[in-house]
Amino acid sequence: MLTAQTQRAIREESWDNLVCSEDFPCCFVVDGGVHLKSFNVSNHGSEEGDLQDRVMDRSGTRSNSPALRTIGDVHRALHPLQATADRVGKQVEQFAETLDRLSTNKPQQSSRTNHNVLPLIQGFEKIANDAVTRLKKYHEPERQDKLKRSWKRRLRNSSGRSTPIIIHEDDDGEGNTHTSLQDLQRWEQERQTWQLLSLMIQIEHPVRNFDAPIIDSNQRLSRPKRDTGVHRYSTEHAVWQNFLAEDDEAWERHVIVEWLKNSAEGLGQDIETVIEQLDVGADRGSGVWSHGWLYSKEAIKGQKRLRSWPQALEPDSPGIDTSLVNAERTQSLITQLDPDAITRQSRSLEKEDLSFERATWLACYEFLRRGRSWDSIREWCQERVEVWRATAIGGDLRGSYNSNNLSGSPTHGTWQSRSLWRQMCAIAAREGGIDDFENAVYGILSGYFPSVEKVSRSWDDHLFAHYNSYVLHQFDQYLKNKCAERNPSMLMGKHSMNNDTTIGELQILSGPALAEKLRNVQAVRDEARQPMKMLQGSLIGKTFQDFVYEIGIQLAQSANMNGRSKIISEINKHLLDHSIVVDISMKDHDLLRILTHMIFIYQDLGFNPEIGDRQYAVENIIVAYIDYLSKAGKQQLIPIYASRLSMARSIECMGRQLPFVLDTNERRTLVKLMEQYGMDITGIFNMQLQMIILDTAPVIGHQHDFPKLSILDYSDKTGKNIHPILAKFMGNEINDDEQDLLHGFEWYLLLDGHWEETMAIGAIIYKHFLRTKSLAAARNLARTVTFSDISLSKTQAILGHAIDIGRSRSLSEEEYGIQPDLRYSTRSRSSQVRNRRRSSSVRRNGARREILLSHSNTFRDLENLFIALDVLGKWKTILDSRFNEKDTQHSRPWKNKLQKVQNELEVAIEPLLHGWLQRPKDDGEAAEFHNIRVACLPELILAYVSALHSAGRFLSRKYLAKSLDLAGTVAENGSDLVETFVAARRMSELVDALAVTSKYMLLAEEEKPASSKRGIENVKIWSDLKL
């Protein structure tokens, strides 16, 4: 018995060997029960022959579909979602591999730490990151072009008192590959979401034995340790670190702010490209940034030259209002070039300089929004001779947190609190500068929410504005309560701290409340209701469990919108009142994949939804993803996911998917995989057939009721003639559910043993086909899954020897290789010993064989019924193809065919005339058998009489005599056929049919000419009798 560690190691090796062809999904072959190997289609003999088998339609005949030119065309025709799977590429397999490698799947034993799940999340994030890297090669130029246009609009619409226009990106077209820019954006959002999940799980389930727990794989953030040595002379940085160490809520908000910064850096345009666009927007070439307000400066110098004033111009200088104006002569220009001249003098700049100023503040805002360090901002400002801007921004201790030179920043150069500085920034943001982005810069530094909200365009921007304000407000309150001595009392008395100044009358909301608020903000209403943003909101608000529950309910409603779904049942429970849920369907494959793997992660952490509707709703997501894998042709991945469901749901889910797997090798692979993942294989096989039968349950009053067979044509009501057999009375149509039943029963051939279950299920299927009058489907079952095939496939495991136990009533010694006794040699004595042992084994196996036969009685009896019906149908087909009897050239071959099938018919009918369905297990089964006999035997025997009558006409009169022998068989002692005909109220029909046959025999003998040739009947007699 392999240990769990060994099995996991073997599975990991098998995933490493996974090879996918371009057109076909990955397939696995199981060797030894647990070892998985991949194989390519090219290694499987003739591709042409394989494809011909694959394009067979559901009825078993070749499809008349248009010619398919490539292997990929054929596979996409077989799997309608293969195009979607191709778009995702190898990611589906990679997610399954990562889950199989790293997930513990033992929530009940979880210690609720993140040791086990962090590698799993990082594995998923790596898959998303690799996809982003690959897609950027194709779609990054297209995105940069669109972002350039967006920046131009953003800069153009950023006036001093106007709100920037919300930019909605156009729909993306296809690139040179089967992917699009939208795919790149989706994968970027997914990468962002996996990063958020990693952060939130480490916040909720921290690893306490680490001195500084790492929050993400890049080690960008680590929670500081609490420092009890912080005093009034400690640096602000030390106080900030202690604040984050003590306050869990502040630490969480700080982490979210940093995540939003990192996301903006990854999702936005490259900052250098942004700066190039700002150069163009400000009418400046590269290298002219260092000249500052170039056009306004020239205007001021011109005025000074005209006035010959050596000193600086003043706003109240004579005639300055009319002479120093902008190029459009609509506004007065500033008279001095100090940074606050615009607001202090209430004057303007030249249009080009205004664009330069807005562009500069926009760049500063982007630096802060993306979390760039203060050192990088300082270097950028120094290049443009705008060092004062870096000095203004340098008070933010978070901006220098990641700096390599911590002691060099203004924050760490003083022991005094920066609270007063943040107050000044808040006043600057509230009073307003020349541009919204200038106000937003000061708003980020101070936590003044309204100014940051004003320039926020996306859901991420709005969330950043809230959480940035929250965390800075908390820090100021922390300083006020625990470090009051650090604030200069005289200045703080003059500029008192209050909520309105720093936070701008913003109410601090919880995570769920904030997510709900953003869903109602007009500017981001649509984005906030997108599935990925609602998912991120649930992670931040710690409502993921409620989120997936609502998603599961929505999936159930969507799946059953146009009729009852076979995959997901409808849930009789309404959503929470007034709740906003994701508009999701079974086609949202990417979201289903993400949610499925997140559910598994939370399961590993101990998430276990309560039994009932809630558990069923959550598992709807997993089931929907499994259904996608099945339709995309990735059946080998299904057991990995189905094994994570509850026991009952995993059986139900697998039972729904198995009928779609038709290839025998693939079926064997799935059986081995289900065994490997500890699934109830027999229960799954039984469930698949049970569900199909329930889906197609006939409208009959009682479960033991069966409709009468319809074989004969009763259009002649005179009773003078034998009723002929109907043409194609079994039909040829087999619907999808019936085909699924046939395919479902084929799975039982793959099970070693399980004889009694197999026979019972086969009998149930036959009975179902009788109830639904699906004779064509039952005929196919009798042809494709015969008792002989089942016996040969299962007796090896049961008896140690593959035999057809229905072929004879006893096992011969020759079958077991027993040699004749050799009495007169030493070697013969050893042979005698071996033979005695083998004889004992034969006797034991003989007893087992009888048990196997007793378990198979019902199945064999029902199989015999449909074999007889099948032969009878063939007989009717040959009979209807007869030629003119005088055409001896064609009549002889036709009679030979009819004679052959007549012989087969006699053999097939024989088992039904003696004890058919006469071995019930209980009274209930006895009543059921009685109903089946009443519904089937009278019609079948009457059809047999009709066949004998026609054979007597076209082949030989001996068949007329056999019909009279049949009357004796019905009436003989111990026969139950009389009782069956009486119960069916059809004894008079049998008597009439036999009377017509007897009359014909008498007339035929009387009219027979003495010189008639052998084998040719007198046609005049038939015409006179009008038979």
Side-chain angles (χ1 to χ4, degrees):
M1 185 70 179
L2 294 177
T3 64
Q5 291 83 358
T6 304
Q7 291 182 353
R8 179 172 295 277
I10 294 175
R11 287 205 306 271
E12 290 182 1
E13 180 183 354
S14 68
W15 283 110
D16 291 335
N17 294 330
L18 183 64
V19 177
C20 297
S21 67
E22 181 179 357
D23 297 303
F24 280 77
C26 296
C27 301
F28 310 118
V29 173
V30 179
D31 180 19
V34 293
H35 185 62
L36 299 175
K37 289 185 178 180
S38 61
F39 66 87
N40 193 292
V41 146
S42 60
N43 296 329
H44 278 255
S46 171
E47 291 182 352
E48 181 180 0
D50 183 60
L51 293 181
Q52 290 175 351
D53 293 337
R54 288 175 177 264
V55 297
M56 298 289 282
D57 61 15
R58 298 185 70 88
S59 63
T61 59
R62 298 196 181 277
S63 170
N64 292 325
S65 59
L68 302 174
R69 293 174 294 179
T70 66
I71 295 177
D73 292 337
V74 175
H75 195 68
R76 280 185 285 274
L78 291 172
H79 300 292
L81 293 182
Q82 187 61 43
T84 304
D86 291 340
R87 177 180 59 79
V88 182
K90 295 182 179 179
Q91 284 75 32
V92 170
E93 286 91 354
Q94 290 174 345
F95 268 86
E97 174 195 356
T98 304
L99 178 68
D100 192 44
R101 284 179 187 270
L102 302 176
S103 179
T104 61
N105 194 17
K106 293 182 179 180
Q108 68 277 8
Q109 301 178 6
S110 175
S111 58
R112 286 183 171 271
T113 65
N114 58 43
H115 283 292
N116 296 326
V117 300
L118 284 184
L120 185 60
I121 299 174
Q122 291 171 357
F124 295 154
E125 180 187 343
K126 182 180 183 300
I127 296 171
N129 187 66
D130 292 344
V132 169
T133 303
R134 178 176 57 85
L135 291 172
K136 277 187 174 181
K137 297 178 181 178
Y138 301 102
H139 306 295
E140 186 64 17
E142 180 185 357
R143 181 173 61 174
Q144 292 298 329
D145 183 65
K146 291 194 173 188
L147 287 174
K148 287 178 182 179
R149 295 197 299 268
S150 173
W151 276 105
K152 291 177 181 179
R153 294 183 186 181
R154 196 175 185 187
L155 182 61
R156 184 172 61 251
N157 291 283
S158 175
S159 61
R161 291 294 179 267
S162 65
T163 302
I165 295 176
I166 305 301
I167 304 301
H168 298 283
E169 299 295 345
D170 299 329
D171 293 337
D172 304 309
E174 294 285 337
N176 294 327
T177 65
H178 294 295
T179 60
S180 66
L181 179 57
Q182 290 180 342
D183 293 318
L184 171 60
Q185 294 169 341
R186 278 193 294 267
W187 278 109
E188 285 180 331
Q189 284 196 343
E190 180 172 340
R191 178 182 61 180
Q192 178 189 23
T193 305
W194 288 119
Q195 292 170 350
L196 175 62
L197 177 64
S198 176
L199 298 176
M200 298 308 298
I201 283 182
Q202 291 184 79
I203 290 173
E204 295 180 54
H205 306 281
V207 181
R208 297 298 183 185
N209 59 342
F210 287 176
D211 292 338
I214 300 302
I215 289 300
D216 66 3
S217 57
N218 296 324
Q219 301 186 9
R220 187 181 182 198
L221 292 173
S222 60
R223 188 169 187 179
K225 294 175 60 177
R226 184 174 181 178
D227 185 4
T228 57
V230 173
H231 48 80
R232 64 175 298 178
Y233 297 108
S234 298
T235 63
E236 183 99 340
H237 178 262
V239 178
W240 170 259
Q241 294 283 80
N242 209 49
F243 162 67
L244 295 179
E246 292 182 0
D247 194 326
D248 291 338
E249 186 177 40
W251 169 244
E252 178 180 332
R253 289 171 174 169
H254 172 68
V255 168
I256 293 174
V257 169
E258 294 300 321
W259 168 73
L260 288 167
K261 290 179 179 179
N262 186 55
S263 298
E265 180 72 12
L267 297 177
Q269 192 175 17
D270 182 71
I271 194 67
E272 283 71 22
T273 306
V274 173
I275 295 173
E276 292 178 3
Q277 294 302 309
L278 298 181
D279 288 346
V280 177
D283 197 17
R284 311 272 171 128
S286 178
V288 189
W289 278 85
S290 59
H291 292 275
W293 297 335
L294 181 62
Y295 296 90
S296 299
K297 182 190 300 183
E298 291 300 321
I300 294 173
K301 287 183 177 180
Q303 283 295 315
K304 293 179 69 175
R305 285 194 296 269
L306 289 174
R307 296 171 180 267
S308 299
W309 280 1
Q311 68 273 19
L313 294 176
E314 295 294 339
D316 55 357
S317 298
I320 198 69
D321 291 336
T322 58
S323 59
L324 187 57
V325 293
N326 59 8
E328 292 79 11
R329 309 192 66 81
T330 56
Q331 289 181 313
S332 299
L333 297 179
I334 58 173
T335 62
Q336 298 170 7
L337 297 175
D338 50 302
D340 66 338
I342 301 172
T343 54
R344 177 168 49 82
Q345 296 182 356
S346 299
R347 289 173 174 266
S348 182
L349 296 172
E350 287 284 4
K351 178 181 178 181
E352 294 80 4
D353 294 331
L354 281 175
S355 297
F356 166 79
E357 188 70 9
R358 292 167 186 160
T360 305
W361 283 118
L362 177 56
C364 292
Y365 169 81
E366 284 298 319
F367 277 125
L368 294 177
R369 176 65 183 85
R370 300 182 185 203
R372 290 294 182 92
S373 67
W374 182 79
D375 289 338
S376 63
I377 298 175
R378 181 184 59 187
E379 292 176 1
W380 186 83
C381 292
Q382 283 178 340
E383 292 177 358
R384 288 153 179 79
V385 195
E386 298 284 337
V387 181
W388 69 271
R389 300 181 197 268
T391 303
I393 295 174
D396 185 12
L397 52 91
R398 298 170 300 171
S400 57
Y401 179 64
N402 292 319
S403 174
N404 295 324
N405 183 18
L406 297 181
S407 61
S409 69
T411 298
H412 304 281
T414 176
W415 59 268
Q416 292 184 342
S417 171
R418 305 296 293 178
S419 296
L420 186 59
W421 173 82
R422 284 190 291 277
Q423 291 288 312
M424 298 301 101
C425 289
I427 293 173
R430 183 180 60 190
E431 298 297 331
I434 67 168
D435 182 69
D436 288 338
F437 285 103
E438 179 184 0
N439 299 336
V441 167
Y442 290 117
I444 291 176
L445 298 174
S446 64
Y448 185 74
F449 171 75
S451 65
V452 184
E453 182 191 34
K454 194 172 185 179
V455 300
S456 297
R457 301 185 307 152
S458 65
W459 184 86
D460 286 12
D461 291 341
H462 280 267
L463 191 66
F464 172 81
H466 281 83
Y467 272 89
N468 178 73
S469 182
Y470 292 169
V471 71
L472 289 179
H473 171 70
Q474 280 184 272
F475 183 55
D476 283 334
Q477 292 299 315
Y478 176 84
L479 292 174
K480 182 179 179 180
N481 296 331
K482 294 193 175 183
C483 305
E485 69 280 0
R486 294 175 60 85
N487 299 314
S489 58
M490 179 181 66
L491 294 178
M492 293 307 297
K494 182 177 181 181
H495 303 281
S496 60
M497 294 177 59
N498 58 76
N499 293 349
D500 292 348
T501 303
T502 57
I503 206 168
E505 301 180 353
L506 174 67
Q507 180 183 2
I508 297 180
L509 302 174
S510 63
L514 178 56
E516 183 68 24
K517 174 186 175 182
L518 293 181
R519 285 195 287 268
N520 294 290
V521 173
Q522 187 62 35
V524 293
R525 175 188 177 92
D526 294 337
E527 182 185 5
R529 300 185 183 214
Q530 292 177 359
M532 197 63 71
K533 292 306 176 185
M534 292 189 70
L535 171 58
Q536 292 176 359
S538 71
L539 295 175
I540 293 173
K542 301 178 183 178
T543 59
F544 177 77
Q545 298 180 16
D546 294 331
F547 177 74
V548 292
Y549 167 60
E550 294 177 356
I551 288 287
I553 295 178
Q554 180 71 13
L555 270 177
Q557 294 178 347
S558 174
N560 292 274
M561 183 177 300
N562 299 319
R564 188 177 72 87
S565 170
K566 295 181 181 180
I567 305 300
I568 298 178
S569 301
E570 190 171 3
I571 299 178
N572 296 322
K573 190 169 186 178
H574 297 291
L575 294 173
L576 300 176
D577 294 337
H578 307 295
S579 61
I580 300 175
V581 298
V582 174
D583 185 15
I584 188 173
S585 71
M586 300 283 286
K587 298 180 180 180
D588 296 325
H589 311 128
D590 291 331
L591 181 61
L592 291 175
R593 172 177 50 78
I594 296 170
L595 291 176
T596 295
H597 292 88
M598 284 190 177
I599 291 172
F600 293 156
I601 290 170
Y602 276 98
Q603 283 180 347
D604 288 348
L605 289 170
F607 168 50
N608 186 21
E610 59 192 50
I611 304 299
D613 284 348
R614 193 171 190 89
Q615 182 185 46
Y616 190 88
V618 173
E619 290 185 341
N620 282 346
I621 299 172
I622 305 172
V623 171
Y625 182 62
I626 290 174
D627 184 61
Y628 157 65
L629 292 177
S630 176
K631 292 178 179 177
K634 301 184 182 299
Q635 283 84 1
Q636 290 83 4
L637 304 181
I638 292 177
I640 300 174
Y641 296 92
S643 63
R644 304 293 296 258
L645 296 167
S646 59
M647 178 64 71
R649 196 69 186 276
S650 67
I651 293 175
E652 177 186 353
C653 177
M654 289 300 299
R656 284 296 185 189
Q657 301 302 332
L658 291 187
F660 302 108
V661 183
L662 306 181
D663 181 74
T664 302
N665 291 330
E666 194 170 357
R667 286 175 175 175
R668 291 195 181 99
T669 299
L670 282 179
V671 170
K672 296 297 183 181
L673 288 173
M674 287 188 287
E675 289 177 349
Q676 183 172 298
Y677 289 104
M679 306 182 73
D680 183 1
I681 298 178
T682 306
I684 291 170
F685 289 175
N686 294 342
M687 178 59 69
Q688 68 160 330
L689 300 178
Q690 177 183 341
M691 289 187 297
I692 297 172
I693 290 174
L694 291 176
D695 291 339
T696 58
V699 183
I700 296 180
H702 193 273
Q703 63 175 348
H704 294 324
D705 294 341
F706 292 88
K708 180 177 73 72
L709 290 180
S710 298
I711 305 175
L712 298 175
D713 182 1
Y714 292 97
S715 59
D716 185 357
K717 305 294 185 180
T718 63
K720 296 180 180 180
N721 300 316
I722 295 289
H723 295 294
I725 298 173
L726 291 170
K728 299 181 180 179
F729 64 89
M730 298 191 76
N732 293 316
E733 296 295 329
I734 302 178
N735 61 38
D736 288 349
D737 289 325
E738 294 165 355
Q739 195 68 263
D740 289 344
L741 272 178
L742 299 177
H743 294 323
F745 188 56
E746 292 170 0
W747 284 88
Y748 284 84
L749 297 180
L750 304 178
L751 288 179
D752 292 333
H754 295 85
W755 177 269
E756 187 173 1
E757 295 92 336
T758 304
M759 293 296 104
I761 290 297
I764 289 174
I765 296 175
Y766 275 127
K767 294 174 188 176
H768 174 72
F769 287 151
L770 275 176
R771 286 193 184 94
T772 57
K773 302 184 73 172
S774 305
L775 301 185
R779 176 184 60 199
N780 272 22
L781 179 59
R783 290 177 179 177
T784 57
V785 190
T786 66
F787 177 77
S788 177
D789 293 337
I790 298 173
S791 178
L792 291 173
S793 68
K794 293 185 175 295
T795 50
Q796 178 68 48
I798 300 173
L799 303 178
H801 191 66
I803 60 172
D804 179 5
I805 63 174
R807 182 164 53 89
S808 62
R809 296 296 299 175
S810 63
L811 292 176
S812 65
E813 292 183 346
E814 287 79 5
E815 285 182 301
Y816 281 86
I818 298 178
Q819 303 295 328
D821 290 342
L822 301 176
R823 301 176 182 270
Y824 303 106
S825 68
T826 304
R827 185 173 183 180
S828 67
R829 287 194 295 270
S830 63
S831 297
Q832 292 176 30
V833 173
R834 287 196 299 270
N835 286 343
R836 282 196 298 270
R837 292 175 181 173
R838 292 179 179 177
S839 297
S840 175
S841 176
V842 167
R843 288 192 295 272
R844 288 195 302 270
N845 283 334
R848 295 175 186 172
R849 181 174 181 272
E850 292 302 321
I851 295 175
L852 297 181
L853 286 171
S854 66
H855 289 159
S856 64
N857 285 332
T858 304
F859 178 83
R860 287 185 291 119
D861 284 347
L862 292 172
E863 182 184 69
N864 287 334
L865 169 65
F866 289 102
I867 290 175
L869 291 174
D870 188 15
V871 176
L872 189 61
K874 294 178 182 177
W875 184 93
K876 175 61 175 176
T877 301
I878 294 176
L879 180 68
D880 289 345
S881 66
R882 67 184 180 274
F883 293 89
N884 190 320
E885 295 163 0
K886 295 181 179 180
D887 187 355
T888 58
Q889 181 179 358
H890 296 92
S891 63
R892 179 54 58 186
W894 172 78
K895 285 186 177 182
N896 291 338
K897 291 181 182 179
L898 186 62
Q899 182 66 63
K900 180 179 179 182
V901 75
Q902 181 69 33
N903 296 337
E904 293 177 5
L905 180 59
E906 292 180 19
V907 174
I909 288 291
E910 183 64 23
L912 305 178
L913 303 179
H914 305 282
W916 186 72
L917 285 183
Q918 290 289 352
R919 291 161 288 192
K921 297 179 181 178
D922 50 43
D923 293 341
E925 192 172 62
E928 184 180 50
F929 285 177
H930 173 75
N931 292 338
I932 295 175
R933 289 169 55 82
V934 169
C936 299
L937 281 182
E939 183 78 0
L940 180 59
I941 292 175
L942 289 171
Y944 182 50
V945 171
S946 178
L948 290 173
H949 184 83
S950 297
R953 172 187 175 184
F954 294 108
L955 296 178
S956 173
R957 288 192 184 90
K958 69 178 182 179
Y959 293 109
L960 298 176
K962 286 189 177 183
S963 66
L964 297 181
D965 294 339
L966 177 62
T969 301
V970 173
E972 70 183 3
N973 292 331
S975 173
D976 58 335
L977 295 178
V978 173
E979 178 186 351
T980 301
F981 271 92
V982 172
R985 298 180 180 180
R986 305 191 68 178
M987 181 59 77
S988 60
E989 296 181 43
L990 177 62
V991 172
D992 291 343
L994 294 175
V996 171
T997 301
S998 300
K999 180 180 178 182
Y1000 168 70
M1001 288 183 65
L1002 293 174
L1003 293 176
E1005 291 295 329
E1006 293 175 357
E1007 298 294 333
K1008 180 179 178 182
S1011 61
S1012 62
K1013 296 182 180 180
R1014 184 178 59 180
I1016 302 177
E1017 288 76 15
N1018 193 317
V1019 179
K1020 183 176 182 299
I1021 297 176
W1022 291 99
S1023 61
D1024 291 342
L1025 291 174
K1026 298 181 180 179
L1027 292 176

